[in-house]
Amino acid sequence: MAEKIQKEPDDEIAQRDAEITRLKRQVSRLQARMERDKAVSASLAAVSAMRSAEKARQEQYMSLLLDNSPNIIIMLDRSGRFAFASKTFLEVAGVEDFAVVANKTFHEVIESHFDSALAAELNDALSSSVESGNSVDVECEVLVGPDARIFSARITPLHTPGGDVASTLVMMNDITDIRRAQVSAEEARVTAEEASLAKSTFLSNMSHEMRTPMNAIIGMTAIGRGSGDIERKDYCFGKIEDASTHLLGVINDILDISKIEARKFELSPTEFDFERMLRKVVNVINFRVEEKNQLFDVRIDERIPHTLIGDEQRIAQVITNLLSNAVKFTPEEGIIRLNSELVSTTDDECLIRISVTDTGIGITAEQKARLFSSFEQADSSTARKFGGTGLGLAISKNIVEMMGGSIRVDSEPNLGSTFTFTARLGIAEGGIKRRSMLAPGVNFANLKVLVVDDSADVLDYFIDISRRLGFQCDAAIGGKEALSLMDMRGGYDIYFVDWKMPDMDGIELSRRINTREIKTSVVVMFSGVEWSLVEEQAKSVGVQKFLSKPLFPSSIEDIINDCLGIEGEIKLPNDETSAGIFRGKHVLFAEDVDVNREILIALMEPTEIELVVAENGVEAVEQFTADPTYYDMILMDMQMPEMDGCDATRKIRALGTKWAKNIPIVAMTANVFREDVERCLAAGMNDHIGKPIDIAEVMSKLRHYLPWADKVKK
């Protein structure tokens, strides 16, 4: 019994320990579960925080997207009122804060901040989209500030899962630049097609312009060869010369425009006499004026410096182009005027304005727009009717702009045209004031001159020239007035009488003058026609001198000096005789083409110069080496077989003797680009003459270098 009582506490203790153990395990499980729940809660909190952060980040990016989108984005609620508008819309509409447009209808906002027409257009599109449940696209023009912009708008209804329209999205994209690019591309395409057509037309015209004179040359050569009549042969020669000159002009135009497009067109400034340059141009154009019986008048501003610095040849080319067009497009007995004036001047340069006015067919506004473009004429039909390459004005524009000037045209159809260009030219030292060429030691203030013409403009110009030159001059408009002045004021020392006048022509007036006047008076007849046409009749009535129109101060000075028995100081190249002027001179002429040698030898025959021929560069070097001092000058072709002109020149210069280093060597070649000239000079040549041969240019080079050669030889 005692043992039984003793064991019971142990059992209770064991049970209690077991319960405690169980409870501990339960607590441990509860703690573990709590830890798990805590971890889950923490994880859920972290996920929630991440989701919140991601949502905030997305909202931030969405805000950035909406604020920086170049497109206009508008959200409308189901009643069509503003629920959202992007920053771009607010800027375009000129709205500072969304609150200004919030809850207002779409139509109301667009109308108040843009215009009613745009509002009506977009509202119709909105209604159509909502009714159909589909997106609607519309292109519209929006006035943004002072500029109109083009927008492509898409209106899209947004549906609930049940299919109801919850809101509407309006997106507008600025497509102005795209449309302009499309227009530019189309314009570029049209321009390219027009340029292609212009070049095709140009090539067609060019074929005509080149084949026509070639046909004349070949045809007239055949006619002349088959004719035994000298006059008939001379007629053929004249036509061949005209056709050849025309063909050369076409070739020169093509070469010039090629150099311009290759950016190799350059100017060569030198000192030149402005008036003499104009006289040369007029001499070239005068025969065409005479053929059409046109009135041609030239005026020179006395303030223009006498000696200028510029590319004389290119200025003359521009004036010749303008005058040629004026003559071509002006009918018979029309009027052409060349006027030059000083615009401004500084110490070392001046701006000259030159204009050519005609009474021709005129030009429309549309034709003016393409007049100075390469390969184009004002009207393609003019090429067929009047001829021409369509390059002259484009070349002239380039030349003028290279001279710091500009060119323009004022014209109306059937009312004539005035082409005006300016050029900035240097002033040569001492060349500002023109020196009088009237002989010194003569009191020209006592000289009495009467000028008679039926044109008041010509009389005014002559009076102005007389004032500049310092002699007395009366003017009479017609023969009757001239005779009345003679009755009132007595006789004159010199009479300048126009050949062609109404009522009483110059021949009859000259006859009456010479029946009244003492023998010391001189009658000078002036006219635009050739002297040979009126010479016999004029001399029969006592006319002693002749002066070509248009009149220049220097030509009047020359004729006055001549009338007084004083040799004038100004002489044109064609006034000089070439007979025997190079007698005793020896020139080595290197040329491989037979006909070229034959032409130059024949042309130089009157001068009595001796041309020693070499058929290639090797022969030229050998002949010079054999007897160097025999030769006074060398004319050297560039392109020859065996040895070209440049190599031959280098070999001659390398011989080492004084004369080999100094003998004048002038290139004669068809290579006329500036780089060709520079290649000649780099090889040791002194100068360059272009082919086909211009005998006046050859004579000029010989006159320049042969006297110099004499000095160096000595």
Side-chain angles (χ1 to χ4, degrees), residues 438-475:
L438 290 175
V442 177
N443 186 1
F444 285 95
N446 293 331
L447 182 68
K448 293 177 61 180
V449 174
L450 177 63
V451 58
V452 188
D453 199 302
D454 59 312
S455 168
D457 288 340
V458 172
L459 296 179
D460 289 342
Y461 184 54
F462 201 102
I463 292 293
D464 183 56
I465 292 175
S466 71
R467 178 188 55 77
R468 297 188 216 172
L469 301 181
F471 60 82
Q472 298 180 51
C473 183
D474 289 335

Side-chain angles (χ1 to χ4, degrees), residues 418-645:
T418 297
F419 284 83
T420 304
F421 75 90
T422 56
R424 198 168 294 280
L425 304 170
I427 302 173
E429 186 176 351
I432 294 179
K433 189 172 183 180
R434 184 180 185 280
R435 181 172 64 90
S436 174
M437 293 300 169
L438 290 175
V442 177
N443 186 1
F444 285 95
N446 293 331
L447 182 68
K448 293 177 61 180
V449 174
L450 177 63
V451 58
V452 188
D453 199 302
D454 59 312
S455 168
D457 288 340
V458 172
L459 296 179
D460 289 342
Y461 184 54
F462 201 102
I463 292 293
D464 183 56
I465 292 175
S466 71
R467 178 188 55 77
R468 297 188 216 172
L469 301 181
F471 60 82
Q472 298 180 51
C473 183
D474 289 335
I477 190 158
K480 292 181 179 179
E481 187 173 325
L483 295 175
S484 297
L485 281 173
M486 291 173 63
D487 290 337
M488 289 188 295
R489 302 180 184 178
Y492 293 85
D493 300 306
I494 303 175
Y495 297 86
F496 286 88
V497 178
D498 185 30
W499 171 64
K500 187 176 181 180
M501 295 184 291
D503 299 329
M504 184 186 300
D505 63 19
I507 298 295
E508 175 59 22
L509 177 59
S510 299
R511 187 188 66 76
R512 296 194 187 189
I513 289 172
N514 280 300
T515 58
R516 298 185 180 199
E517 273 296 349
I518 56 176
K519 299 301 181 184
T520 56
S521 296
V522 178
V523 178
V524 178
M525 183 163 286
F526 58 91
S527 175
V529 303
E530 285 291 327
W531 174 230
S532 58
L533 299 177
V534 298
E535 181 179 8
E536 184 177 351
Q537 190 180 19
K539 286 184 175 180
S540 69
V541 295
V543 175
Q544 296 101 318
K545 306 289 180 184
F546 181 79
L547 188 60
S548 294
K549 280 186 175 181
L551 304 175
F552 290 90
S554 57
S555 60
I556 293 173
E557 287 173 324
D558 280 349
I559 205 78
I560 289 175
N561 284 337
D562 195 23
C563 290
L564 298 178
I566 305 166
E567 185 178 355
E569 295 185 41
I570 293 181
K571 293 289 184 184
L572 292 177
N574 58 10
D575 293 330
E576 300 178 17
T577 178
S578 61
I581 61 172
F582 299 134
R583 187 183 296 117
K585 301 298 179 184
H586 309 93
V587 172
L588 179 59
F589 178 32
E591 169 64 65
D592 64 306
V593 180
D594 292 344
V595 68
N596 289 344
R597 294 196 300 268
E598 184 179 347
I599 289 171
L600 187 65
I601 290 170
L603 291 174
M604 297 304 298
E605 186 176 348
T607 70
E608 299 185 28
I609 196 170
E610 182 182 345
L611 293 176
V612 180
V613 173
E615 296 187 6
N616 55 59
V618 173
E619 284 189 18
V621 174
E622 290 174 350
Q623 292 189 37
F624 179 80
T625 305
D627 191 1
T629 57
Y630 180 75
Y631 300 103
D632 301 291
M633 185 173 170
I634 300 175
L635 297 175
M636 183 80 75
D637 186 27
M638 277 186 68
Q639 293 185 350
M640 294 183 290
E642 298 189 45
M643 183 185 293
D644 66 23

Side-chain angles (χ1 to χ4, degrees), residues 130 153 168 184 261-262 274 363 395 424 631 655 659 661 675 692:
V130 171
T168 305
S184 297
E261 297 215 333
F274 181 74
I363 304 166
I395 294 169
R424 198 168 294 280
Y631 300 103
L655 291 175
W659 189 231
K661 293 179 180 179
E675 55 266 32

Side-chain angles (χ1 to χ4, degrees), residues 168-230:
T168 305
L169 173 65
V170 180
M171 293 192 68
M172 299 176 67
N173 181 27
D174 189 337
I175 59 171
T176 308
D177 294 337
I178 296 174
R179 288 289 177 265
R180 287 175 179 172
Q182 290 172 343
V183 171
S184 297
E186 177 63 17
E187 289 176 347
R189 184 188 65 79
V190 172
T191 300
E193 289 178 354
E194 289 177 347
S196 177
L197 178 61
K199 288 196 176 185
S200 297
T201 304
F202 164 75
L203 290 175
S204 175
N205 290 343
M206 203 53 51
S207 175
H208 175 269
E209 286 297 314
M210 297 182 77
R211 288 176 181 273
T212 299
M214 284 303 300
N215 181 64
I217 292 168
I218 295 169
M220 285 297 169
T221 300
I223 293 171
R225 184 184 293 116
S227 176
D229 183 16
I230 297 298

Side-chain angles (χ1 to χ4, degrees), residues 70 72 88 92 114-115 118 121 138-153 172-181:
I72 291 174
T88 302
V92 170
F114 296 101
D115 60 69
L118 178 64
E121 183 180 10
V138 60
E139 192 170 294
C140 54
E141 189 173 282
V142 179
L143 189 64
V144 181
D147 299 323
R149 308 290 295 177
I150 300 172
F151 283 84
S152 173
M172 299 176 67
N173 181 27
D174 189 337
I175 59 171
T176 308
D177 294 337
I178 296 174
R179 288 289 177 265
R180 287 175 179 172

